[in-house]
Amino acid sequence: MTADFRERPGSDGEHELQERMGTTARAGKFYDEQVLDRLNARMREFVARQEMFFLATSDQHGGCDSTYRAGPPGFLQVFDDRTLAYPEYRGNGVLASLGNIVENPHVGMLMVDFLQGRIGLHVNGRARIVSDEEMRRARPELPVDPVPGRRAQVWVEVTVEEAYIHCAKHIPHLKKVPSEQRGRSWGTDEFKRKGGDFFGAAAEARDRPPYQPRRRKRRLPSWAQTGQPTPAAKWQRSVERLLAVRARRQPDPEEGDRSFQGWFS
C-alpha cells in the first residue's frame, strides 16, 4: 500500500511533478519497494567492493558540483547499515566538494558497477569531515594504505538517509584492462600524467583577464549578527506573554471552559 503523500521520500517538487505528469502511482510503487533509509546486506556488500563513485554536493547558495572519487576495493568503508566513509586523497587543492560540505552537509553518491552486475546504487545522506587521526582513534581497525598517494588527508563520514537502486537498462557493460606499466599515479603533480591541458583551457589563459572570484560573505541571521535572542527564544517569550494574558481573563460562562489545554490537544 502506498504511504501517505506527506510521508513519502523525495522532494515536494518531485511529488508535484508526479501529480502533474500522472506518475504518482508508479513513483509510489518505487518508493514502497526500493527506497530504504539504510543499507541492507546486499547494499553493504555492493558498496564495499566498489572502486569508484560519483559525488554530488551543493554550497549554501545552491551552487552544485559533481565529481568522481576512486580507490582500491574497500576504499569506501561501510561501518554499519547507516554509516559509511571514504578518504579524501591529495588533489588539486581546490577542495570544492569539501568546501560545499562545510556549508551544506547534504550529499548524493552514485555507485555504478560497470563490470559485473551492471547496476547502480544511490546513497543520499548527511556528511561530516573527520580528520584521519580522529577517524583512526574511533576506528582503529581501519587499514593503512601502503601507497603514499592513497593516504587519507581527511575522511568524509556519511550518515545514510536514502538508499535505492539505479536501474540497469542503460548501464554499459565495460571491461577492465591492466593499468599502465608504471601503475596509477596516485597523488602526482606531474602535468602530463594528470591529463595535461586536454581541453585547451590553459592555452586560452593568456587571452582571458585574471579570474576574480566573487567573495561571498556568509550571511548570518540578523539575531546572530546583533546578539539578539534567537527566533525560538522570541517565540517562547511571545507564547508566555499570550498565556499570561489568557490566564488573567475570566472565562465567558456562555462559552464554557476554554482554558489552555496544550498545543496538541
Side-chain angles (χ1 to χ4, degrees), residues 14-30:
E14 67 187 70
H15 297 161
E16 179 182 345
L17 285 177
Q18 288 161 14
E19 290 207 328
R20 289 169 58 185
M21 300 181 70
T23 67
T24 300
R26 184 150 44 100
K29 179 178 174 62
F30 182 83

Side-chain angles (χ1 to χ4, degrees), residues 190-199:
E190 187 179 335
F191 183 68
K192 289 186 177 180
R193 295 186 72 80
K194 291 171 65 176
D197 188 26
F198 185 88
F199 293 104

